[in-house]
Amino acid sequence: MQDFAFLFSDSVSAWLRGRGDGRFQRYERHYRSDRASAPSPDAFDLEKSNVLFSRRSRRGKGRIASVLKSKPFAALATFLIFLWGGSLLLSTIGTSQPVTAGVALCVAFVVLRASKLRKRAQR
């Protein structure tokens, strides 16, 4: 088994220098704001501050991460990818075979309309 103890000091020093994912900057802001909000320097409890920081870090991953995981964003991204791919495909087919591209568009619109009508009929 390998000894990875030598990596620990490098990892800690990298974290303290602020390299990487920015955890140190967040912790430093949290620490300074908690220390400034304490009534006196003697009343500041580092252990409680660290527990609070741990809870805050675990609780939420941030707004961007929650937006990226949401279903509406996934649906929008899928729609935009298909729209982009379809526009490339139709422009390529349209230059060489315009009738085929026109028929494909008509079929797509009819299928979309029929699926909407089926959904309305089921309600």
Side-chain angles (χ1 to χ4, degrees), residues 35 38-45:
R35 187 151 180 115
S40 69
D42 297 334
F44 176 71
D45 187 7

Side-chain angles (χ1 to χ4, degrees), residues 4-65:
F4 291 108
F6 70 95
L7 291 176
F8 179 74
S9 61
D10 182 49
S11 174
V12 170
S13 65
W15 188 76
L16 288 174
R17 277 186 258 126
R19 280 194 336 221
D21 59 4
R23 288 178 292 169
F24 180 73
Q25 287 86 4
R26 281 193 310 249
Y27 176 76
E28 188 68 22
R29 280 194 304 267
H30 169 79
Y31 170 76
R32 289 181 190 273
S33 68
D34 272 4
R35 187 151 180 115
S37 65
S40 69
D42 297 334
F44 176 71
D45 187 7
L46 181 62
E47 187 175 338
K48 286 181 183 178
S49 176
N50 287 341
V51 168
L52 183 62
F53 178 74
S54 174
R55 284 186 193 147
R56 285 182 185 169
S57 297
R58 234 182 286 131
R59 187 174 1 148
K61 293 183 181 173
R63 293 180 188 155
I64 294 175

